[in-house]
Amino acid sequence: MPAETTDAGGDSYEGGLRRVARVVLLDPEDRILLLHGHEPDDPADDWWFTPGGGVEGDETREQAARRELAEETGITDVDLGPVLWRRRCSFPFAGRRWDQDEWYYLARTTDTSGKVPLATALTELERRSVSGARWWTCRELTQAHETVYPTRLAGLLRRLLDEGPPARPVTLDTEIV
């Protein structure tokens, strides 16, 4: 079994991959919350993504999912469900390559206001690269021309809404950008 290490920022790595917990947050109307991000020095190089981030120290992925959701959205009152999907990805961001093993947790909020949540504890890098958030319907996501990660999120969300969570996590295709 590969050794687990922690970098200077506190993120946990296993086998050279950053361990990440992401959250598929749905409201009572089955809208999904996505964050809008961009390269720190190029706001035109942008995309949408689910809340989440690296596992820190000895916390579990579930603990990381809850912490990241609170830090990035201010939302703490959620029912955190099962892991829906797992994905390995590699992408350039902020001058370096990120190699990650991501687990996507289902979460539900009872908030029906539709208000865009406010981040409460972004890191310095996140403050320079996250420009907002938005609730998306599955239809809006299907029709979107923007870049969304993971790719094929609209289809994954449609299947989740139609069939419910999978019996065990689905392994998504590896994405290398």
Side-chain angles (χ1 to χ4, degrees):
M1 174 173 251
E4 189 171 309
T5 59
T6 303
D7 71 5
D11 283 351
S12 178
Y13 286 77
E14 187 171 324
L17 293 171
R18 181 175 182 239
R19 296 174 58 228
V20 171
R22 298 211 157 282
V23 180
V24 175
L25 180 64
L26 301 178
D27 74 1
E29 296 177 28
D30 287 334
R31 294 176 299 183
I32 185 172
L33 182 70
L34 297 179
L35 303 180
H36 189 218
H38 57 83
E39 273 294 328
D41 298 323
D42 184 5
D45 184 2
D46 68 332
W47 55 87
W48 292 88
F49 63 102
T50 59
V55 174
E56 294 180 355
D58 62 354
E59 74 182 345
T60 66
R61 286 201 202 231
E62 183 175 309
Q63 291 167 330
R66 288 184 181 282
R67 176 185 50 75
E68 287 284 339
L69 186 63
E71 291 173 358
E72 294 178 349
T73 70
I75 297 172
T76 57
D77 187 19
V78 297
D79 292 324
L80 192 64
V83 176
L84 300 170
W85 315 307
R86 292 183 63 179
R87 172 181 87 136
R88 288 192 174 184
C89 60
S90 179
F91 55 91
F93 174 67
R96 65 171 271 214
R97 178 150 291 275
W98 300 74
D99 298 310
Q100 301 190 153
D101 176 29
E102 299 180 336
W103 292 17
Y104 289 78
Y105 285 86
L106 174 62
R108 289 254 181 207
T109 179
T110 57
D111 185 354
T112 58
S113 70
K115 289 183 191 174
V116 174
L118 299 174
T120 60
L122 296 180
T123 66
E124 187 272 333
L125 179 58
E126 288 168 334
R127 283 192 300 276
R128 295 188 306 129
S129 62
V130 177
S131 58
R134 176 181 163 199
W135 290 101
W136 295 72
T137 65
C138 192
R139 181 182 188 133
E140 290 169 333
L141 201 54
T142 299
Q143 296 172 348
H145 296 289
E146 292 94 342
T147 301
V148 177
Y149 293 110
T151 57
R152 297 185 303 282
L153 180 58
L156 292 166
L157 179 59
R158 177 78 273 147
R159 185 172 183 181
L160 172 65
L161 296 176
D162 289 347
E163 300 175 12
R168 59 184 161 276
V170 173
T171 301
L172 305 178
D173 291 340
T174 297
E175 289 190 51
I176 300 174
V177 178

